[in-house]
Amino acid sequence: MTASNNPARPRGGRRALRVLLPALIILGWLAAASFGGPLFGKVDEVSSNDRTAYLPASSDSARVQELQTRFAGSDEIPAIVVAVSDEKLTDAQRSTLSDAVASTTDIAGVGDDVSPALASEDGKAIQAFIPIRSGADLGDVVTGIRTHLEDAAPAGVTVYVTGPAGFSADLVAGFAGIDGILLGVALAAVLVILVLVYRSLLLPIVVLATSLFALCTALLLVWWLAKWGVLLLSGQTQGILFILVIGAATDYALLFVSRFREALRVEQDRAKAVLSAWKGSFEPIVASGGTVIAGLLCLLLSDLKSNSALGPVAAIGIVFAMLSALTLLPALLMAFGRAAFWPRRPRFDPEAVAAEGGMPTAGVWARLADLIRRRSRVIWIATTLVLAVGTLGVLQLDASGVPQSDLVLGSSQARDGQKILGEHFPGGSGSPVQVVAPKAALQDVADVLLADSGIDGVSVTAKDSPSGTAPVTAEGVQPVGRPGSPAPEPTVVDGDVMLQGTLTTAADSAAAEDTVRRIRAAVHGTGAVVGGVTATAVDTDDASLHDRALIIPVILLVILLILMMLLRAIVAPVLLIATTVLSFGTAMGVSALVFNGVFRFAGADPAVPLYGFVFLVALGIDYNIFLMTRVREESRRHGTREGVRRGLAITGGVITSAGLVLATTFAALAVIPILFLAQLAFIVAFGVLLDTFVVRSLLVPALVHDLGRAVWWPSKLSRGER
């Protein structure tokens, strides 16, 4: 018999392909994850938490930061040391502290130009400035300085390390748990939910492996792009990437597994069941992921590099989450088949499925679907009113920015040190206002600084001065050292000089920001630019406010267009966008009340509402996509109102499980003691639960049911019988 006449050979070839293709897919993902996994402990090598690095290049702060290196001859980061006693320091104590400060140059990473220790007017404290080389590990160097000075401090003297280096070290320490604690908490929480949902031992591991492999592979690409300088990566972006990939990949996997379970009841062959599940899941998964990616890429319009960098980083994560759900998960389910669900294996029972009409006839979702069929108008009106009341809390939201000292939750030596510094020295010591001005305008700019009530003193960079600066008064640059000695010549770079104004209040205070704004207005027209720590915060907050006003409308428009293409309608997408925005407003309103009344936060970063909007709208639309694609599918066969009933009854369980998973993963961000991440964790977790249990379960189905076929206008479906 010839090969062409042998029917066994094609079947054998297909059988081999069914084994070989899943095996190759699994091996490919395993190989990629094996390269990405080891990078979890190395992300800090390619990331930065320097706020200035994320400013628009055109901002005054960024320009001053660039010029400062040329004036100082280095880009060292200053650490401020303050030592304090309840009693006036003795000469011996001051001498011991001075020697200890001077000897910090022996610590690896500390620069050579350590300033002498200066005593406060009340004699109870001393302060000194210790430069830290930019290439050093900031956290390790600051820890070394703290340990060295604490060991050397006389009895009764407490030492703090604060200033830009101290606060940056606290941030580094806050983000230190991302690779371990955050990931561990998120994975453990998801595993518990999956076990409860599936009541299976193997399937939760399969789903979690899908998510973890997606994360490892995404991290592999992101790490190298950051290494090559293509992307900017920070601890904040890293944490969001981890959570987003785990949550999204698990959600997509839940949808696929639900379809696979359905198919196994009418298909004996596991390959046919996988193919059926793939066909049913492809459109909602791609549409859902595409919506999130489109929303994230809108962040590229941001002036802040921290926002524009998050867009592509998170989008890469979503791409791999989709790919893992549509390739790796089907391959694993092809390998395990019904055994993946053990001990609750789906039975092949097409007769029972036919008798049920293809949908659950019992259970909470079937009962809820029946309730919505009877009381749809009452339900959507009542739900809308409750959500609208919740939005009123937005009036209590203070998202104008927070002091740098409040960025880290819990204990902070830098924050404590800044408080002590303000009690014994001018509040802005060590973090001055920096003004780069034409040399010809030096005195005019100095006069502006001297006349401002928020400035305690003014100096100018001078290389031939022992301290590197010389004081400036209304009479000009003053001598340094013995009376009658000549005044140092200011350092000039391309015709410019750098002045520094010591703030009377803490550099991260609202009063200091007001001082910077006054100075900028006063020196406008002189060619001077104002920078420094306070100016960086001002420029960051202003850029965030600009981003909010620009990006939020763009995201809404982009997602609306995607929904129109997906649902082939106009009315339904507009309703989905409106309900999601209402849900976002309620989530922000409730969050504002909780932040102010429960947690007593000092405020919120201006980027918090933007990030909350991006994730809640993009991810909240996901559940509406999962629901409405199934409703549309059922409506084509049974009519719109019956389609709503069937769609809700069929998808209710899986979408609720997906919402719980995503809310739990975002809530895990709260284990990182950073204010921004803690606030984002609450907003997104609460908002996702609101979307899952209220908007998608009650509001949307009731509204669509009440409108009937008009919801599909102007597609052919709107001209059906029901």
Side-chain angles (χ1 to χ4, degrees):
M1 183 180 290
T2 62
S4 60
N5 294 327
N6 185 355
R9 287 184 182 251
R11 287 198 299 270
R14 287 194 297 268
R15 192 177 299 115
L17 183 62
R18 286 167 53 178
V19 174
L20 182 61
L21 182 59
L24 290 175
I25 291 174
I26 293 170
L27 288 175
W29 278 97
L30 182 61
S34 67
F35 285 105
L39 298 178
F40 277 108
K42 300 180 179 180
V43 179
D44 60 333
E45 296 177 7
V46 295
S47 64
S48 169
N49 294 305
D50 180 8
R51 296 181 75 182
T52 308
Y54 293 92
L55 285 170
S58 59
S59 69
D60 284 3
S61 297
R63 291 165 61 193
V64 170
Q65 178 70 15
E66 180 184 359
L67 292 169
Q68 181 187 10
T69 301
R70 300 171 64 186
F71 279 100
S74 70
D75 55 355
E76 294 171 330
I77 304 171
I80 304 175
V81 172
V82 56
V84 63
S85 173
D86 292 336
E87 305 294 334
K88 189 173 182 179
L89 293 170
T90 65
D91 291 341
Q93 287 175 320
R94 285 198 299 270
S95 176
T96 299
L97 291 170
S98 296
D99 292 343
V101 168
S103 63
T104 56
T105 54
D106 296 333
I107 299 173
V110 173
D112 297 326
D113 298 326
V114 175
S115 73
L118 301 175
S120 61
E121 290 186 4
D122 61 12
K124 295 181 179 181
I126 62 102
Q127 72 166 338
F129 302 92
I130 300 177
I132 298 176
R133 296 189 175 95
S134 59
D137 187 310
L138 194 63
D140 290 345
V141 177
V142 169
T143 299
I145 293 172
R146 285 172 174 164
T147 302
H148 171 75
L149 295 178
E150 287 170 357
D151 291 343
V157 176
T158 305
V159 179
Y160 302 90
V161 180
T162 185
F167 282 113
S168 295
D170 281 353
L171 279 175
V172 170
F175 284 119
I178 282 183
D179 287 338
I181 298 174
L182 175 61
L183 197 57
V185 169
L187 292 174
V190 171
L191 180 60
V192 170
I193 292 175
L194 292 176
V195 169
L196 294 175
V197 168
Y198 291 127
R199 300 176 191 177
S200 165
L201 299 177
L202 180 58
L203 192 56
I205 296 175
V206 169
V207 171
L208 210 54
T210 303
S211 304
L212 195 54
F213 277 36
L215 178 57
C216 290
T217 310
L219 181 61
L220 176 64
L221 179 58
V222 167
W223 194 93
W224 280 105
L225 289 176
K227 178 79 170 177
W228 296 330
V230 178
L231 296 175
L232 278 173
L233 195 59
S234 67
Q236 177 176 292
T237 303
Q238 177 189 350
I240 292 173
L241 172 67
F242 286 5
I243 291 304
L244 193 59
V245 174
I246 292 294
T250 304
D251 278 5
Y252 302 151
L254 285 165
L255 180 63
F256 191 97
V257 169
S258 175
R259 285 281 191 168
F260 182 58
R261 188 200 295 269
E262 286 183 47
L264 286 174
R265 298 190 66 195
V266 296
E267 295 286 356
Q268 183 72 47
D269 188 338
R270 72 175 71 173
K272 291 182 179 179
V274 167
L275 182 60
S276 175
W278 195 90
K279 289 179 179 178
S281 303
F282 180 81
E283 185 178 45
I285 288 177
V286 171
S288 171
T291 302
V292 178
I293 290 170
L296 289 168
L297 291 182
C298 288
L299 290 173
L300 289 171
L301 299 172
S302 171
D303 280 346
L304 279 177
K305 295 177 185 177
S306 56
N307 294 343
S308 60
L310 174 65
V313 169
I316 288 171
I318 295 296
V319 168
F320 283 105
M322 289 192 300
L323 288 175
S324 66
L326 293 172
T327 59
L328 177 58
L329 181 60
L332 292 171
L333 292 177
M334 178 78 83
F336 291 109
R338 284 180 168 81
F341 294 89
W342 184 87
R344 296 166 58 89
R345 302 186 187 192
R347 290 188 302 162
F348 173 65
D349 196 353
E351 292 80 9
V353 174
E356 294 171 358
M359 65 167 283
T361 56
V364 63
W365 297 108
R367 291 194 296 272
L368 181 61
D370 287 336
L371 176 64
I372 287 174
R373 181 178 58 179
R374 298 192 305 270
R375 297 286 188 270
S376 60
R377 185 165 299 177
V378 173
I379 290 174
W380 77 255
I381 291 175
T383 304
T384 300
L385 290 175
V386 171
L387 292 175
V389 170
T391 64
L392 298 177
V394 172
L395 300 175
Q396 303 298 317
L397 180 66
D398 177 13
S400 59
V402 293
Q404 184 182 24
S405 55
D406 288 320
L407 293 179
V408 178
L409 301 175
S411 61
S412 167
Q413 190 182 111
R415 180 171 59 236
D416 296 340
Q418 178 176 278
K419 181 180 178 182
I420 295 297
L421 191 68
E423 293 174 356
H424 299 276
F425 298 92
S429 295
S431 301
V433 174
Q434 297 172 324
V435 185
V436 176
K439 184 182 179 182
L442 186 157
Q443 192 59 50
D444 291 339
V445 173
D447 289 342
V448 168
L449 292 169
L450 291 166
D452 195 287
S453 60
I455 299 296
D456 184 69
V458 180
S459 62
V460 65
T461 302
K463 287 185 178 179
D464 54 349
S465 170
S467 63
T469 62
V472 182
T473 66
E475 287 74 35
V477 181
Q478 299 301 302
V480 177
R482 292 177 299 175
S485 59
E489 189 66 23
T491 302
V492 181
V493 175
D494 296 336
D496 292 330
V497 295
M498 175 175 278
L499 295 100
Q500 299 183 13
T502 302
L503 291 159
T504 58
T505 57
D508 63 351
S509 65
E513 293 187 3
D514 290 342
T515 299
V516 167
R517 294 186 188 278
R518 286 196 305 271
I519 291 172
R520 281 181 168 172
V523 301
H524 181 71
T526 66
V529 288
V530 181
V533 172
T534 308
T536 295
V538 169
D539 289 342
T540 300
D541 292 345
D542 289 350
S544 292
L545 294 171
H546 166 269
D547 290 347
R548 268 173 24 197
L550 171 66
I551 294 174
I552 287 178
V554 172
I555 291 176
L556 286 175
L557 178 60
V558 169
I559 293 179
L560 179 62
L561 294 175
I562 292 175
L563 289 174
M564 287 179 177
M565 290 186 289
L566 174 67
L567 299 176
R568 288 87 162 173
I570 293 177
V571 174
V574 170
L575 291 179
L576 294 182
I577 287 288
T579 57
T580 304
V581 170
L582 177 61
S583 174
F584 167 73
T586 305
M588 292 303 301
V590 173
S591 296
L593 297 176
V594 172
F595 294 164
N596 296 338
V598 179
F599 296 123
R600 305 288 183 183
F601 290 147
D605 189 282
V608 165
L610 174 61
Y611 278 45
F613 183 86
V614 169
F615 292 122
L616 280 182
V617 171
L619 296 172
I621 283 291
D622 276 6
Y623 303 124
N624 284 328
I625 288 175
F626 291 170
L627 171 66
M628 291 302 291
T629 51
R630 190 58 182 254
V631 168
R632 189 175 185 276
E633 179 183 328
E634 298 293 336
S635 296
R636 286 199 296 262
R637 295 196 295 263
H638 305 285
T640 300
R641 290 191 168 93
E642 178 63 16
V644 170
R645 188 177 77 88
R646 298 173 69 88
L648 179 59
I650 293 169
T651 64
V654 63
I655 296 178
T656 301
S657 300
L660 287 172
V661 166
L662 193 63
T664 301
T665 51
F666 264 94
L669 281 173
V671 303
I672 304 300
I674 303 297
L675 178 64
F676 180 92
L677 294 181
Q679 292 178 326
L680 187 64
F682 184 87
I683 291 170
V684 178
F686 177 76
V688 166
L689 293 176
L690 194 65
D691 267 332
T692 303
F693 289 100
V694 179
V695 176
R696 191 271 314 161
S697 299
L698 297 172
L699 178 57
V700 170
L703 191 54
V704 173
H705 187 280
D706 194 26
L707 288 174
R709 66 173 184 256
V711 79
W712 305 115
W713 185 86
S715 70
K716 291 182 180 179
L717 199 55
S718 67
R719 298 187 290 276
E721 295 181 0
R722 289 166 287 183

